[in-house]
Every structure is written in C-alpha cells, then in structure tokens.
Amino acid sequence: MNIEEKIIKNFSFNNKFIGDDCAYLKDTKQLISTDSITENTHFDLKKFTAMQIAHRLFISNFSDIQSSGGEPKYALFNISFPKKKSILALSISKNLRNMIKKNKITIIGGDTTSSKDIFLSLTLISKKIDRSRVILRSKSKVNDEIYLFKNIGFSKLGFLNLYQNLDIPSSLRKKSLKQFLHPKFYKYFDIFNKLPINSSMDISDSLYSTIKEMARQSNKKFVIDNLSSVNTTLSNNLSYNKYMKLILISGEEYVPVFTMKKDNL
C-alpha cells in the first residue's frame, strides 16, 4: 500500500461516502466530486498552455460525475499561485471559466491563495439524481460484459513522446501528443442514462488499476480479452507487448469502464 492509499484509507474506513468516483448526498440528491492538479506533477509549464491546464482540470472532474450517472450543475474553484505567475494563473482561470460556462455549469464559489507553485482544485456538483440511478463501482454482476471507449492508450504514448522523443511515425506522434496535452472530451451522461449499466469507473490511473478496483469492490473476477480492437491504430503500429502495455497502463484517459448484460446493449 503506497502513501496515497494509506491517506485515503485513513478517511475511508467505515465511511459510506468514500470509494467511488463521486460521493452521493442523499439530502439534496446530488453527486459531488473534486480533483486537484499541481505544477510539476500533473502539468509542466514548459509543455502545457494555460488552456490545456484548465482543460485537464475540467474534464477530470466532469468525467467523474458522468461515470457515476450524473450531469454537472455547480462548481467550486480554488487556485494557489506565486505572484510571478499571476498572469498565467489569470489565463488558466479565464479558460476554465469559459469551459464551465460553455457546459452550462454555474460557479458558486472558491478560493485564491499564494503558494510556491501553481495548485488548482475543482469541485463539481451534479443536478439532482435519484439514488437508484447512481452507478457504483461495486455493482458488477456475474456474466456482465465489460465495455470501454475505443482508442485508449494515446495518452501514455503522448507522455512518452513528450519526454523521451520516441521513434514512431509522425502521424502517431502528433495524435498521441494531442491526446496527452489536450485529452478528448466526451459527454456521455445522456448515453449512461439510457443504458442499464450495473457498474462503472472512470479511467484516471490506468485500465488495469480501474478493472482491478472494480473487481475488488464488486467481489467478482474480471476476465478481459479482445483488447487488440481497443485501439487499432496503435495495434497496427506497435509490437504486441508494447501495445498491450500501453493499453493497460495508460492513464488520464477520462473515459469510463462499465459493465452490463450483453443482451441490453
């Protein structure tokens, strides 16, 4: 167990709110999710623009709400930054405001403080949703099929391209860099509301860790196959071992893994 897991366990033991992509507030019938990103850990100012930083913060939260079956309605935004980076901090804030406004979300508060590096935190609160419609990680059922969005893997490849300058085709380099620096934004809450999904979890760390956690919480054994069709562009350009590694460990994809009966698709 790493230090991050130990900290989470310190708060999550016997806590019914912690353990999914979102917490459900039964008094108001809303989902709530929060994410933080920090300079030199989640983004490099030499590589990322202000718009890309804001985009990463926004979709990481948006996808968490969606993967639990909700639609974001309200937002709280916190930012910490040094005085010498105040212009950049303002630009990040303006880009985030535009994304929030475009997606019809209302900012209801936040905080600004001084710090050594740039630190950003966003909290999203959903529209009202009945408890019965909330999708959990722990409700996978025997004989469920496992589904995910196509083309995961580009994010990790883009990261490797950015810092290791891999010898790969230019078209693949361009596509993977774009996915890492500016991940594709999917709105899928409306699709989730129409499907009888049993369980779901957002891919933030990796496909492997996501499936492992869903299996643990559901107390089920997950068997995965047919991964060669997940990203045909990568499978056609990389060796089998390199391809499988990318598919399984690529994080920050901001799409869900979900399970349901095959006959319901």
Side-chain angles (χ1 to χ4, degrees), residues 35 37 51-64 72 75 95-105 122 124 185 187 254:
D35 264 308
I37 60 174
M51 185 267 289
Q52 290 168 340
I53 294 169
H55 178 82
R56 180 171 293 268
L57 177 65
F58 179 72
I59 67 169
S60 65
N61 280 268
F62 200 102
S63 190
D64 279 341
N95 277 279
L96 182 63
R97 178 201 62 194
N98 292 339
M99 279 180 260
I100 288 172
K101 184 178 180 181
K102 182 178 180 180
N103 287 278
K104 299 179 181 179
I105 300 171
L122 184 68
L124 291 183
F185 176 38
K187 279 188 177 181
Y254 308 119

Side-chain angles (χ1 to χ4, degrees), residues 66-190:
Q66 292 189 106
S67 67
S68 295
E71 180 181 356
K73 184 175 183 179
Y74 300 110
L76 294 159
F77 173 55
N78 299 324
I79 181 169
S80 301
F81 57 93
K83 186 177 181 180
K84 63 182 180 180
K85 297 176 182 177
S86 58
I87 295 177
L88 176 60
L90 180 60
S91 181
I92 294 171
S93 301
K94 287 181 177 179
N95 277 279
L96 182 63
R97 178 201 62 194
N98 292 339
M99 279 180 260
I100 288 172
K101 184 178 180 181
K102 182 178 180 180
N103 287 278
K104 299 179 181 179
I105 300 171
T106 303
I107 284 277
I108 58 173
D111 191 26
T112 59
T113 58
S114 177
S115 62
K116 181 180 178 181
D117 294 316
I118 295 178
F119 170 86
L120 307 162
S121 177
L122 184 68
T123 298
L124 291 183
I125 305 168
S126 76
K127 294 180 178 180
K128 282 191 176 183
I129 177 173
D130 290 337
R131 184 69 179 86
S132 61
R133 291 177 53 212
V134 176
I135 306 171
L136 306 178
R137 301 173 179 177
S138 59
K139 298 300 182 179
S140 303
K141 301 184 184 301
V142 175
N143 294 324
D144 269 5
E145 294 284 327
I146 305 169
Y147 298 94
L148 66 154
F149 284 32
K150 283 194 171 185
N151 294 326
I152 67 170
F154 283 126
S155 181
K156 181 65 175 182
L157 184 61
F159 170 80
L160 294 174
N161 274 326
L162 197 62
Y163 292 101
Q164 296 181 18
N165 194 26
L166 301 179
D167 183 18
I168 59 175
S170 59
S171 59
L172 198 57
R173 179 187 302 277
K174 183 178 180 180
K175 193 167 187 176
S176 61
L177 283 174
K178 182 179 180 180
Q179 177 61 22
F180 175 68
L181 293 172
H182 192 86
K184 191 169 183 178
F185 176 38
Y186 293 95
K187 279 188 177 181
Y188 56 85
F189 57 79
D190 54 342

Side-chain angles (χ1 to χ4, degrees), residues 192-250:
F192 267 34
N193 286 333
K194 296 175 182 177
L195 294 175
I197 295 170
N198 290 325
S199 66
S200 175
M201 183 175 172
D202 179 67
I203 302 178
S204 55
D205 294 328
S206 68
L207 175 60
Y208 172 77
S209 62
T210 298
I211 288 178
K212 183 179 178 181
E213 181 62 18
M214 291 176 71
R216 184 190 71 81
Q217 290 198 28
S218 297
N219 195 27
K220 300 290 187 299
K221 180 180 179 180
F222 277 41
V223 179
I224 57 175
D225 55 20
N226 200 28
L227 289 180
S228 59
S229 63
V230 171
N231 192 324
T232 54
T233 301
L234 290 182
S235 64
N236 290 335
N237 284 276
L238 302 174
S239 68
Y240 175 81
N241 288 338
K242 288 182 178 179
Y243 170 76
M244 291 300 293
K245 186 176 182 179
L246 275 178
I247 294 300
L248 291 172
I249 70 171
S250 184

